[in-house]
Every structure is written in structure tokens, then in C-alpha cells.
Amino acid sequence: MKRTLPLTALLALFTCASATAQEADKAVARHLEKLGYTYEIDDDGDYRMVFDVEGDRTQLVYVRSTVEEFGSQQVREVWSPGYHSSTDAFPAAVANRLLEDSQDAKMGGWVKQQKVAMFVVKLDAAASAEALSDAIDAASRTADAIELELTQQDEL
């Protein structure tokens, strides 16, 4: 497994700043255990997993414990990194490719988290284990495909 960015630095790029660590959402743990997924819980209480993907590659995925609200909706996010920039701004060609890929994606879209392009799937916080599995699969496959296309490496 090739890693060019130390995992601790990678985790620092993705975590949301908070004054105190958040407790992990136990409902997520129940779903992940039902699905047979191996996970770790990071300092923010998010679930971190590494999946094997096609071509002897791996892909990092986070299931956020934080539940966001919009009106009557409660939303959970699944994140997977696909591109790491050496500068604060993405090259125009990369940014445009990510926008195009967001258009084609059946679930989720690309967001910029500091120097990282993160594929994010938002789903109902009360979604079933199967729906969560679909979101994880969509995030990991989409992010890994862009990573391979843009970098020809297995970094994230």
C-alpha cells in the first residue's frame, strides 16, 4: 500500500476544528458492525475505515458522527479524499474535472477541505445499514477513481 502523505497529516487535513472531542455516534457503530466493516474512531468521534478497491488499491473513508440539520431533515456525511493539492488553490483543470465528476455522480459531490478534494455523500441520519453501505461504496469508488485519474497513485 503506497502512502505519500503521512496518515497523521492526512487526518489533520480532514478533521473539523472543535474545542472538545465529540463522542462517536453509536448508531453508526451498530450499522458498521452489522455490515462487518472494520473501523477506528478518530479524535472527532468520526468513523475511519480503509477499504480495498479494484487494482490492489486502498481508499480511506470517514462516516461523520456529527448530524447536520436543515429544516426538518437530519443529515449524516460520508467523506472520502480523492485529490491532495500542494497549494491552497486547486489547478483550474483539476477543479473543472471535479465539477464535471460531481455532475456525473449518482450520489454525492466534491468539496474542498483545505488542500484536499473530498467526495461527500449526504444521507438521512436515520438511514439503514444498507443505505449507509451504498453511501460508503459510492464515496470510496468515486474518490479512488478520481485519485487514479488525476495522480496515477494510491495516496489517500
Side-chain angles (χ1 to χ4, degrees), residues 10-17 42 44 46-51 59-66 68 76-82 109-114 116-123 132 135-141 143:
L10 189 61
L11 290 173
L13 290 172
F14 307 145
T15 56
C16 293
D42 70 11
D44 291 331
D46 298 326
Y47 292 81
R48 178 190 171 280
M49 297 163 283
V50 177
F51 290 95
Q59 188 60 38
L60 182 61
V61 177
Y62 289 91
V63 176
R64 303 277 326 276
S65 281
T66 301
E68 302 289 340
R76 181 176 316 283
E77 295 178 338
V78 177
W79 292 2
S80 190
W110 289 99
V111 301
K112 184 176 182 290
Q113 294 284 323
Q114 298 171 1
V116 177
M118 191 77 67
F119 193 79
V120 178
V121 176
K122 298 179 181 189
L123 72 156
L132 179 60
I136 290 168
D137 190 43
S140 65
R141 287 178 189 233

Side-chain angles (χ1 to χ4, degrees), residues 30-101:
R30 285 190 296 274
H31 283 333
L32 297 177
E33 289 164 7
K34 177 180 179 182
L35 295 165
Y37 293 165
T38 302
Y39 61 85
E40 296 175 1
I41 300 172
D42 70 11
D43 291 340
D44 291 331
D46 298 326
Y47 292 81
R48 178 190 171 280
M49 297 163 283
V50 177
F51 290 95
D52 293 327
V53 291
E54 191 174 325
D56 195 31
R57 298 172 55 80
T58 59
Q59 188 60 38
L60 182 61
V61 177
Y62 289 91
V63 176
R64 303 277 326 276
S65 281
T66 301
V67 172
E68 302 289 340
E69 293 184 11
F70 185 86
S72 63
Q73 304 297 309
Q74 293 188 323
V75 179
R76 181 176 316 283
E77 295 178 338
V78 177
W79 292 2
S80 190
Y83 176 79
H84 181 264
S85 177
S86 59
T87 65
D88 287 334
F90 293 169
V94 169
N96 285 326
R97 179 64 187 107
L98 295 173
L99 285 171
E100 291 167 356
D101 196 64

Side-chain angles (χ1 to χ4, degrees), residues 101-153:
D101 196 64
S102 287
Q103 172 65 30
D104 294 338
K106 301 296 182 240
M107 294 178 71
W110 289 99
V111 301
K112 184 176 182 290
Q113 294 284 323
Q114 298 171 1
K115 295 181 179 185
V116 177
M118 191 77 67
F119 193 79
V120 178
V121 176
K122 298 179 181 189
L123 72 156
D124 188 303
S128 68
E130 293 75 18
L132 179 60
S133 179
D134 289 344
I136 290 168
D137 190 43
S140 65
R141 287 178 189 233
T142 304
D144 185 66
I146 280 292
E147 179 186 35
L148 181 59
E149 177 184 329
L150 297 178
T151 71
Q152 291 78 49
Q153 296 182 22

